[in-house]
Amino acid sequence: MPLIEHLLELRSRLFKACIGIVLGTIVSLVFVKQVLAFLERPYDQAARALGMKNPGLQILAPTDLLVLELKIALYVGLLIAAPIWLYQLWSFITPGLHKNERRWAYSFVAVASPLFFGGAVLAYFVISRGLEFLLPSGNSGIIANLELSKYIDFVTGMMVLFGCGFEFPLIVVMLNFAGLISARRLLSWWRVSIFVMFLFAAVVTPTPDPFGMTALALPMTALYFLAVGVAFAHDRRKAKAAAAAGFGNVSDDEASPITYDLDEIDNPDTSGYVDTVRSTEIEPAPRRRYDDDAT
């Protein structure tokens, strides 16, 4: 297709995706208050555990609640309309992909979605424990008046970070399937990988106590070793396929034999290789004569 036709198709796909997101947002406005109450629940649980007085969340402007509900409705609308805009995106990309690349993309989406959802659910339960550590107790004399929109941004941000953290093992598997990293190399990096995962968990968790960090780092570590196991299975299957094709004993770094006897090219009846290439004189090709008036 010409570039203009690609741009026209992209515009059509984006328009249909936006229509789907708008419809999903409209539908989510019906139950946006229930979603808001669900997000406020970790704060309510932490407030009851601490014995806080007047544990309600506050707004600072008359329009803050409306704007927050519209924002939440947009987020939920993106989730509801995900089949629509993902289909439009996939329909635009898939003509340029090979069959095996499409199969990889299907597998990636099928695994990435539950992993992200699992990380978000884990963050939801960790937040209430983190708030118990961060907020003052009811008998401390300090009154906590949290602003509603900042609290919701904190909760949703934590859920997104935990979800992204759970995608790390999937990226490791994709690198192995692409042939960039072997399973043995991944296993040799296990100490560095665990350190990086605990460091990531320590940065993104809201509390300095080890509970939240461990709650995120341990599942990431287990998923990493699961990814290494998948990489070993893939490398073993790949090695068997190479052996069946006759290349099982050839290392990836082994050079192919390129020494040959130049006489064998002129005399195909002879056979065998020699250790060195004989140098031969090649007669220069006759120079072509051009007329002065030729172009």
Side-chain angles (χ1 to χ4, degrees), residues 12-13 16-17 83-93:
S12 175
R13 299 290 183 185
K16 293 176 182 178
I84 298 176
W85 57 265
L86 284 176
Y87 171 78
Q88 298 299 327
L89 178 63
W90 182 250
S91 299
F92 180 75
I93 295 176

Side-chain angles (χ1 to χ4, degrees), residues 274-287:
V274 296
D275 295 331
T276 58
V277 180
R278 300 173 183 173
S279 61
T280 59
E281 294 183 359
I282 301 174
E283 294 185 2
R287 305 183 71 181

Side-chain angles (χ1 to χ4, degrees), residues 238-249:
K238 187 175 170 182
K240 289 182 179 179
F247 302 104
N249 298 325

